[in-house]
Amino acid sequence: MNSTFEQEHELRMRMLPHIVNNLNEHVIHTAVDALRELLTDLPEIAEEVLVPIFEWSEFWPNAMAKEALGLPMDQDFDTDELLECFELPDRTSEGKPKVDWIKEGF
């Protein structure tokens, strides 16, 4: 690592607690934009970035799961049902096998 990068990184890390201590609606909005860009540009770190949400929230993990599965946001699914949709993709949330109409000749 070159010293200029190290110095800049150190300065940014020193700034972090100041930003946290002055958190307001504008800072939160900017942080949301930064997280959107981060997840878009570096999807390989999504798990690391999303862990705190999954640890601290009951609502957002299920909302994200419904979005990922294309399920209606206004329907309630418990975590077990959502997990089953991911792990058993050939079944609907009601537990009935999905019909592959093309495979069936329609």
Side-chain angles (χ1 to χ4, degrees):
M1 231 185 244
N2 81 38
S3 62
T4 304
F5 178 82
E6 289 175 352
Q7 291 169 342
E8 181 63 26
H9 181 263
E10 183 180 320
L11 291 173
R12 287 194 314 263
M13 296 312 291
R14 281 181 43 206
M15 190 168 40
L16 178 60
H18 296 291
I19 293 170
V20 170
N21 289 329
N22 292 282
L23 201 60
N24 61 42
E25 194 64 32
H26 298 290
V27 174
I28 291 169
H29 181 72
T30 300
V32 168
D33 289 344
L35 287 170
R36 180 180 293 111
E37 184 176 301
L38 187 66
L39 290 169
T40 300
D41 293 347
L42 297 167
E44 62 271 16
I45 67 166
E47 185 172 345
E48 183 180 344
V49 171
L50 297 175
V51 163
I53 296 169
F54 279 73
E55 289 178 343
W56 290 92
S57 175
E58 293 180 25
F59 173 78
W60 292 113
N62 285 5
M64 284 187 257
K66 287 191 265 186
E67 291 283 2
L69 291 163
L71 298 172
M73 293 302 288
D74 60 348
Q75 284 188 340
D76 288 330
F77 296 91
D78 64 30
T79 305
D80 286 336
E81 290 172 315
L82 293 167
L83 195 54
E84 185 176 312
C85 288
F86 281 116
E87 293 176 347
L88 301 171
D90 291 338
R91 301 182 104 31
T92 65
S93 59
E94 292 87 55
K96 299 174 187 167
K98 289 184 181 175
V99 176
D100 184 346
W101 295 109
I102 295 171
K103 191 174 184 180
E104 296 295 326
F106 294 99

